[in-house]
Amino acid sequence: MSKALDGVRILDFTHVQSGPTCTQLLAWFGADVIKVERAGEGDATRGQLRDIPDVDSLYFTMLNHNKRSITLDTKNPKGKQVLDTLIKQCDVLVENFAPGALDRMGVTWEHIQKLNPRMIVASVKGFGPGKYEDCKVYENVAQCAGGSASTTGFDDGPPMVTGAQIGDSGTGLHLALGIVAALYQRNTTGRGQKVLAPMQDAVLNLCRVKLRDQQRLERTGTMHEYPQYPDGEFGEAVPRAGNASGGGQPGWILKCKGWETDPNAYIYFITQAAVWKAICKVIGQEDWITEPAYATPQARLLHLKPIFARIEQWTMTKTKFEAMDILNEFDIPCGPILSMKEIAEDPSLRETGTIVEIDHPKRGKYLTVGNPIKMSDSATDVTRSPLLGEHTEEVLTQLGYSADDIAALRSERVI
Ligand code: CAO
């Protein structure tokens, strides 16, 4: 089967998480991704959070599948020449260096344009133009600056970061979309272009509903689906909403049987208006179907805390999976709080290729998250991440370097 991005060649100058997420996706769609790393060291994540001594970490392997790795000292003039050759022969350069690093290497937009006007140059940076544009940024900085931390957590606690890597992987996803759009536009213009995905902007895009709420709050002074309503107070800015649903259908996380010992014995329960009658029947509170204080969605907003407390009395008599089975029979929207252990063992996720077992020559078997985007005409086969410099000779040969050239570059420590 052919792949969506067959024939697209990516010069992958990314490291850590945000950029590698992007190029891994492009590789899964069929692009030839050539990861350029520093000889001897490589991407810093190869050595970070290691669980096996001297073996590429899971941090690295899980972000760099389906790529080829070459080592190259791009600050050496001969290494720079090799880089120029790559620029001439690739379609896209993807990078997430600190601001200015590419320019300091001599790889300016103008330089790239001269060598290959069709090249798309795609960058992740922490911030877009403005007062923080020169800052180095990691995941949680972006979560804080993009509005996620101030709106996550409970009202009586500090701002909180989330485990979902919306700053890194979230931005990588945004960048991948920008690259594919730029490749599409190049079909008609014949030109490359710069694509920038700042991490702050990507996080804010994912926090769009909170900017919605900021404006609702400014206009009305209150938001009825927030736990601050009706007894608490609202300030000037969108408050932390705990586990409130954030949409028009109130929801909360409720304890299930075993919660005293199992930190994940919980269920997310949504009191969708369409199934209110069914909810009342399931929990044995049928009088709430007609009682004016509970009968309408508007009336219920005044009583969400006692409503969820009553539903929790019922969920605590069931395991989260028993509760799921019963609630699903009545189309009541709910979701189990799944631990990573439970997800890793989930047969459906394995069947769809979202959880994949990979064999690595040095670490043996490990689990990874495969391509979450499923295409009917471009299947994803996840292959292991490359060892450092595993493909240096293969790629240089394809670029037209002879065995003698390659030996010379190696002896001069350029590769
Ligand atoms: N050969 C020679 N030099 C190389 C090279 C190669 N193959 N690859 C990289 N380098 C050099 C760069 O040119 C740069 O040198 P200068 O500082 O002298 O210009 C240097 O390596 C380090 O690059 P860096 O500043 O990007 O790396 P860092 O570890 O100091 O910072 C990070 C890491 C992530 C904070 C920074 O890259 C950054 O802010 N990136 C943008 C935002 C981003 O993507 N953050 C998410 C990271 S994932 O959590």
Side-chain angles (χ1 to χ4, degrees):
M1 187 191 270
S2 66
K3 301 256 164 75
L5 294 182
D6 272 346
V8 174
R9 196 180 259 181
I10 312 272
L11 197 179
D12 181 8
F13 235 159
T14 68
H15 64 157
V16 203
Q17 185 181 165
S18 62
T21 307
C22 166
T23 51
Q24 178 169 261
L25 269 175
L26 300 175
W28 283 338
F29 292 137
D32 175 15
V33 175
I34 302 167
K35 185 168 173 107
V36 178
E37 301 180 78
R38 267 189 285 197
E41 309 168 39
D43 187 326
T45 58
R46 284 187 186 266
Q48 285 174 357
L49 312 177
R50 270 190 176 148
D51 55 329
I52 306 174
D54 303 324
V55 172
D56 286 341
S57 70
L58 286 166
Y59 194 6
F60 177 84
T61 52
M62 291 178 70
L63 286 162
N64 290 284
H65 294 104
N66 297 64
K67 304 180 185 178
R68 299 197 282 171
S69 163
I70 70 165
T71 51
L72 189 64
D73 179 357
T74 56
K75 287 189 173 157
N76 177 303
K78 289 194 178 154
K80 179 82 188 323
Q81 279 172 14
V82 177
L83 185 61
D84 284 352
T85 310
L86 272 165
I87 291 171
K88 282 183 202 155
Q89 298 195 26
C90 288
D91 299 280
V92 188
L93 184 159
V94 192
E95 63 93 22
N96 68 311
F97 291 128
L102 209 57
D103 287 353
R104 286 194 291 279
M105 223 182 258
V107 187
T108 60
W109 169 243
E110 292 72 26
H111 178 76
I112 295 168
Q113 283 278 288
K114 226 181 279 168
L115 296 176
N116 181 0
R118 287 175 58 80
M119 176 159 262
I120 290 153
V121 180
S123 304
V124 169
K125 294 288 167 264
F127 293 90
K131 62 180 170 174
Y132 296 131
E133 66 189 26
D134 293 328
C135 295
K136 287 186 175 180
V137 168
Y138 283 103
E139 170 70 44
N140 288 344
V141 176
Q143 287 196 23
C144 293
S148 176
S150 71
T151 53
T152 302
F154 287 87
D155 201 22
D156 56 358
M160 186 148 295
V161 295
T162 156
Q165 304 285 282
I166 56 177
D168 280 336
S169 289
T171 308
L173 271 165
H174 282 79
L175 191 71
L177 179 59
I179 290 169
V180 173
L183 281 167
Y184 187 76
Q185 191 177 9
R186 193 179 73 172
N187 288 337
T188 48
T189 64
R191 288 193 306 276
Q193 62 181 300
K194 289 187 268 188
V195 180
L196 172 67
M199 295 168 74
Q200 180 187 36
D201 305 39
V203 170
L204 176 58
N205 184 35
L206 298 174
C207 289
R208 175 175 296 265
V209 297
K210 297 297 176 180
L211 185 57
R212 171 200 70 191
D213 290 350
Q214 179 63 34
Q215 295 170 86
R216 292 171 61 216
L217 179 65
E218 284 171 17
R219 192 177 298 277
T220 66
T222 185
M223 290 183 292
H224 294 182
E225 79 282 16
Y226 273 62
Q228 288 77 6
Y229 179 82
D231 306 321
E233 284 188 4
F234 286 93
E236 287 186 341
V238 173
R240 294 186 263 291
N243 288 317
S245 84
Q249 307 287 351
W252 202 256
I253 288 183
L254 306 178
K255 290 172 185 158
C256 290
K257 197 181 196 173
W259 67 273
E260 300 90 336
T261 50
D262 175 356
N264 297 304
Y266 288 84
I267 192 165
Y268 199 91
F269 195 107
I270 299 177
T271 56
Q272 192 203 19
V275 290
W276 178 245
K277 273 188 201 165
I279 293 171
C280 295
K281 283 184 189 162
V282 167
I283 65 170
Q285 193 74 53
E286 298 194 18
D287 52 319
W288 281 2
I289 297 174
T290 49
E291 196 177 315
Y294 300 96
T296 65
Q298 205 56 34
R300 288 196 287 278
L301 287 173
L302 278 165
H303 310 289
L304 287 181
K305 279 181 197 139
I307 287 172
F308 283 123
R310 175 66 189 85
I311 298 172
E312 191 170 60
Q313 280 177 4
W314 177 81
T315 55
M316 281 165 69
T317 66
K318 310 273 178 277
T319 67
K320 61 189 175 192
F321 297 115
E322 288 167 352
M324 279 293 291
D325 287 345
I326 296 168
L327 297 170
N328 276 325
E329 263 180 52
F330 297 95
D331 274 344
I332 299 168
C334 54
I337 308 304
L338 294 181
S339 68
M340 271 302 153
K341 184 168 168 30
E342 288 164 332
I343 288 171
E345 292 162 0
D346 186 307
S348 312
L349 290 172
R350 297 247 184 165
E351 256 167 50
T352 59
T354 294
I355 299 277
V356 196
E357 191 174 77
I358 301 292
D359 207 358
H360 186 278
K362 298 218 167 152
R363 75 164 32 254
K365 289 196 171 30
Y366 67 95
L367 289 185
T368 196
V369 184
N371 192 347
I373 302 166
K374 319 295 183 190
M375 291 169 69
S376 63
D377 217 8
S378 180
T380 298
D381 313 302
V382 183
T383 61
R384 69 169 173 84
S385 60
L387 302 175
L388 180 58
E390 186 176 343
H391 305 97
T392 306
E393 289 185 14
E394 177 184 296
V395 170
L396 290 187
T397 306
Q398 279 176 356
L399 291 177
Y401 288 82
S402 69
D404 286 348
D405 296 336
I406 295 170
L409 289 169
R410 200 173 287 291
S411 73
E412 290 174 52
R413 293 173 177 273
V414 175
I415 55 175

